[in-house]
């Protein structure tokens, strides 16, 4: 029987469909190490627990609880919530951290509703005060900073992917298998899973350090290739405005903004994007914003650190050539 | 088939949205309010099914301030058969846990075969309520669906998951949520607007639902501080005179961004 430290933070570490640790794991364990002692819980298909546990320890988990679960891949959400409940019962943590991914936040939701715990969603950071663990949120498209806490008990906090830069020190692997009694809650059945195809070597939009986005100003799906070219020169991810998505230039997964992906990169370049408020809500926390648009009155210029009023079909090729010349 | 659609009034994202810095609550007077678009799409899923299947009852359900009644009525004008609005002063500033308890209690009272919600609202964008409600009702959550197929016994569709898409299915009764991949909602027409005036609109309080907002059995998430970030200001703006690409390259290199 393991003794868990009084300041234990339980971290649900998710696995990808391929069985590897999800990218969110490092940030979650980093955040947990900042406010206590990270204990990871992993729900893994049979036989995959040992490796996943070692990987989580390398990212800072002082102890890893592995629930190998035959139904993990066939039942939606409920097996994850059952495992989290069993682990929380064991560890009695000060807080529970879960990725604000689609699966993660729904597992957190079921767990919080079941245990009547306080749920804080989409935190960008966590800290600790005299009362306990506090969640920090950035709301209304980054216009406000809000802190939240639980009235009592351990808060369940979902953490925005890519928001936490802190990383924890590697720990010796200490992996324990736990048996999870199924709650018997009714769940949806997963009939098949198709892993998303990574289309290129470009970084993923969510969490990218640089993003180049295109809008309606690109004019057509073919001409949108200019966005790709600039992104490749900069090693940036590619995004788009809703107008470009609605016009069919790129798939919806590219959409940056209120109803798409929220990004906070070091550099955000908006090409042919007017800067509707919904778009700004998804990118205005970027450190540096560059905009190129032929309409000098476009609202994007109100927030751009460097704005170019001009034809992007002449400015961008010149920019690409200039960047390549400086690299050579 | 009885389908209940969860709808919400939100500040219009076409304007600046404000929080009251004293109370921490959304400042409803500061911006236009609208029926959240994702909720309209959820209603469209229900109405499309009802169009094709006689005997379908579509109820819109909202937990909101009394002032949101007109917005909830839009659901009736679009074609829902009836509306239920939960209004109670004790719900001001309710967290997701209390909201889920209230909506689950209302759903039990209304009765349902299928509950349809949007995957996340444009204001709170939490994306957790459908799963919380499913847990409280002990029904499956088939959430984040890009497509929806409803039969008498089950609901199925493509789930937009993390790094994957899945085919999922759930026996009814169930809670589903849908993504923006589902079609745009219909507009209320004149006939619908007139008909809406005669449709049942029920207003419920917490006492009607037997929910105690101040119970100490459940922990709540509370806001402990709030600050407005200073707005971004414009930096350098140039008009291209033939060398803007060069100047921009210089800017990126000087700022170590290229």
């Amino acid at each position: 029987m393991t003794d868990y430290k009084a300041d234990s933070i339980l971290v649900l570490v998710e696995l990808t469909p391929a069985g590897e640790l999800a990218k969110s794991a490092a940030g979650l364990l980093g955040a947990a190490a900042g406010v206590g002692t990270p204990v990871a819980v992993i729900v893994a298909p049979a036989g995959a627990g040992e490796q996943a546990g070692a990987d989580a320890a390398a990212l800072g988990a002082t102890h890893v609880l592995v629930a190998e679960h035959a139904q993990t891949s066939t039942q939606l959400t409920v097996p994850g919530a059952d495992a989290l409940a069993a682990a929380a019962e064991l560890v009695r943590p000060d807080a529970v951290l879960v990725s604000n991914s689609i699966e993660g936040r729904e597992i957190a939701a079921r767990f919080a509703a079941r245990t009547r715990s306080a749920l804080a969603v989409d935190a960008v950071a966590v800290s600790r005060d005299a009362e306990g663990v506090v969640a920090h949120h950035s709301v209304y498209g980054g216009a406000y900073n809000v802190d939240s806490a639980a009235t009592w008990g351990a808060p369940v906090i979902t953490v925005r992917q890519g928001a936490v830069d802190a990383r924890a020190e590697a720990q010796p692997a200490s992996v324990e298998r736990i048996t999870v009694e199924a709650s018997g809650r009714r769940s949806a059945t997963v009939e098949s899973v198709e892993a998303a195809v990574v289309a290129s070597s470009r970084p993923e939009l969510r969490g990218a350090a640089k993003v180049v986005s295109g809008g309606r100003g690109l004019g057509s799906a073919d001409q949108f290739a200019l966005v790709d070219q600039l992104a490749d020169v900069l090693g940036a991810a590619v995004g788009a405005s809703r107008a470009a998505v609605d016009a069919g230039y790129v798939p919806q997964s590219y959409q940056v903004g209120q109803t798409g992906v929220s990004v906070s990169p070091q550099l955000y370049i908006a090409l042919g994007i007017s800067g509707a408020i919904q778009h700004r809500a998804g990118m205005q926390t970027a450190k540096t914003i560059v905009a190129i648009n032929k309409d000098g009155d476009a609202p994007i210029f109100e927030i751009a650190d460097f704005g170019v009023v001009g034809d992007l079909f002449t400015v961008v090729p010149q920019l690409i050539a200039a960047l390549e010349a400086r690299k050579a | 088939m009885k389908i209940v659609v969860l709808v919400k009034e939100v500040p219009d994202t076409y304007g600046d949205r404000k929080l009251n810095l004293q109370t921490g609550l959304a400042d409803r007077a500061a911006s236009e309010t609208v029926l959240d678009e994702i909720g309209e799409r959820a209603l469209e899923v229900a109405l499309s099914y009802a169009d094709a299947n006689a005997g379908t009852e579509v109820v819109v359900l909202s937990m909101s301030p009394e002032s949101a009644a007109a917005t909830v009525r839009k659901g009736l004008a679009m074609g829902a058969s009836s509306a239920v609005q939960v209004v109670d002063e004790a719900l001001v500033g309710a967290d997701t846990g209390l909201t889920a308890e209230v909506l689950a209690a209302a759903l039990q009272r209304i009765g349902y075969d299928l509950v349809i919600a949007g995957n996340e609202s444009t204001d709170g964008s939490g994306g957790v309520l459908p799963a919380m409600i499913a847990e409280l009702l002990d029904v499956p959550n088939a959430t984040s669906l890009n497509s929806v197929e409803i039969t008498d016994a089950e609901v199925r569709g493509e789930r937009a998951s993390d790094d994957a898409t899945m085919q999922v299915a759930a026996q009814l009764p169930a809670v589903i949520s849908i993504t923006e991949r589902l079609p745009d909602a219909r507009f209320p027409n004149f006939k619908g607007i007139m008909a809406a005036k005669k449709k049942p609109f029920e207003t419920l309080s917490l006492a009607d639902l037997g929910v105690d907002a101040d119970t100490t059995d459940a922990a709540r998430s509370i806001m402990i501080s709030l600050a407005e970030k200073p707005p971004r200001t414009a930096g350098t703006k140039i008009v291209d005179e033939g060398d803007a690409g060069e100047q921009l390259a210089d800017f990126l290199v000087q700022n170590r961004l290229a």
Side-chain angles (χ1 to χ4, degrees), chain A residues 103 114 185 191 277 286 326, chain B residues 13 135 156 161 232 250:
Chain A
E103 307 295 343
R114 188 181 300 179
R185 291 265 145 184
E191 296 179 335
I277 199 157
R326 280 167 176 77
Chain B
T13 57
E135 174 72 25
R156 57 198 309 118
S161 186
R232 282 191 89 100
D250 287 340

Side-chain angles (χ1 to χ4, degrees), chain A residues 102-103 105-106 110 114 143 145 147 149 151 185-186 189 191 194 196 258 277 284 286 296 304 307 309 318 326, chain B residues 13 122 135 139 143 156 161-163 165 167 169 220 222 224 227 229 232 235-238 240 242 245 250:
Chain A
I102 290 167
E103 307 295 343
R105 71 190 183 188
E106 293 194 343
R110 274 195 176 260
R114 188 181 300 179
N145 291 326
D147 296 345
T151 49
R185 291 265 145 184
R186 292 184 199 120
T189 311
E191 296 179 335
E194 194 177 334
Q258 178 74 59
I277 199 157
Q284 65 185 358
V309 182
Q318 188 182 57
R326 280 167 176 77
Chain B
T13 57
T122 51
E135 174 72 25
V139 298
T143 27
R156 57 198 309 118
S161 186
D162 307 300
D163 311 317
T165 54
Q167 294 298 322
R220 302 295 181 202
I222 50 168
I224 55 171
K229 267 189 233 168
R232 282 191 89 100
T236 312
K237 183 172 160 189
I238 61 167
D240 184 24
D250 287 340

Side-chain angles (χ1 to χ4, degrees), chain A residues 18-90:
Chain A
E20 291 164 359
L21 293 198
K23 276 198 197 128
S24 56
L28 281 177
L29 289 162
V35 292
T37 305
V39 177
V41 56
I42 299 178
V43 190
E50 200 68 36
Q51 183 59 47
D55 292 347
L59 292 175
T62 58
H63 190 66
V64 185
L65 304 169
V66 172
E68 289 192 349
H69 198 304
Q71 265 86 52
T72 307
S73 47
T74 57
Q75 288 184 5
L76 198 62
T77 318
V78 170
D82 291 355
L84 192 53
E89 188 70 35
L90 210 57

Side-chain angles (χ1 to χ4, degrees), chain B residues 73-78 191-200:
Chain B
R73 274 188 192 279
K74 186 182 177 192
L76 295 178
M78 287 168 68
K191 204 175 132 205
I193 293 164
M194 293 311 288
K197 293 183 197 298
K198 297 193 179 115
K199 288 178 180 173

Side-chain angles (χ1 to χ4, degrees), chain A residues 2-300:
Chain A
T2 316
D3 276 336
Y4 298 98
K5 291 205 171 131
D7 70 346
S8 289
I9 307 293
L10 189 60
V11 177
L12 178 69
V13 171
E14 289 181 89
L15 301 185
T16 65
E20 291 164 359
L21 293 198
K23 276 198 197 128
S24 56
L28 281 177
L29 289 162
V35 292
T37 305
V39 177
V41 56
I42 299 178
V43 190
E50 200 68 36
Q51 183 59 47
D55 292 347
L59 292 175
T62 58
H63 190 66
V64 185
L65 304 169
V66 172
E68 289 192 349
H69 198 304
Q71 265 86 52
T72 307
S73 47
T74 57
Q75 288 184 5
L76 198 62
T77 318
V78 170
D82 291 355
L84 192 53
E89 188 70 35
L90 210 57
V91 175
R92 302 267 164 201
D94 270 359
V96 177
L97 301 190
V98 181
S99 169
N100 194 50
S101 62
I102 290 167
E103 307 295 343
R105 71 190 183 188
E106 293 194 343
I107 290 171
R110 274 195 176 260
F111 170 75
R114 188 181 300 179
T115 57
R116 307 196 83 184
S117 303
L119 177 61
V121 291
D122 197 24
V124 293
V126 293
S127 64
R128 193 185 263 277
D129 68 9
E131 318 279 325
V133 176
V134 174
H136 303 268
H137 311 260
S138 174
V139 308
Y140 277 2
Y144 294 87
N145 291 326
V146 171
D147 296 345
S148 76
T151 49
W152 53 270
V156 181
I157 302 170
T158 73
V159 180
R160 185 181 295 182
Q161 296 176 78
V164 176
D165 293 328
R167 295 292 179 263
E169 272 180 46
Q171 302 292 326
S174 162
V175 181
E176 178 188 353
R177 277 162 209 282
I178 57 167
T179 312
V180 176
E181 204 166 314
S183 63
R185 291 265 145 184
R186 292 184 199 120
S187 72
T189 311
V190 179
E191 296 179 335
S192 64
V193 180
E194 194 177 334
V197 184
V198 180
S200 72
S201 54
R202 282 188 207 114
E204 214 180 311
L205 184 54
R206 204 184 292 272
K210 296 176 192 172
V211 175
V212 181
S213 277
R216 182 109 68 192
L218 270 301
S220 72
D222 287 347
Q223 295 183 133
F224 200 90
L226 191 59
V227 179
D228 299 340
Q229 287 165 25
L230 179 57
D232 288 342
V233 173
L234 291 165
V238 174
S241 69
R242 182 168 182 169
V245 171
D246 286 349
Y249 303 165
V250 286
Q252 208 266 331
S253 58
Y254 283 50
Q255 188 174 316
V256 171
Q258 178 74 59
T259 52
V261 177
S262 286
V263 295
S264 325
Q266 294 294 310
L267 173 66
Y268 188 88
I269 302 186
L271 302 179
I273 292 177
S274 67
I277 199 157
Q278 295 95 330
H279 186 77
R280 276 153 46 196
M283 46 64 81
Q284 65 185 358
T285 54
K287 199 137 183 266
T288 301
I289 296 173
V290 170
I292 304 175
N293 199 304
K294 64 183 176 201
D295 173 10
D297 295 327
I300 192 81

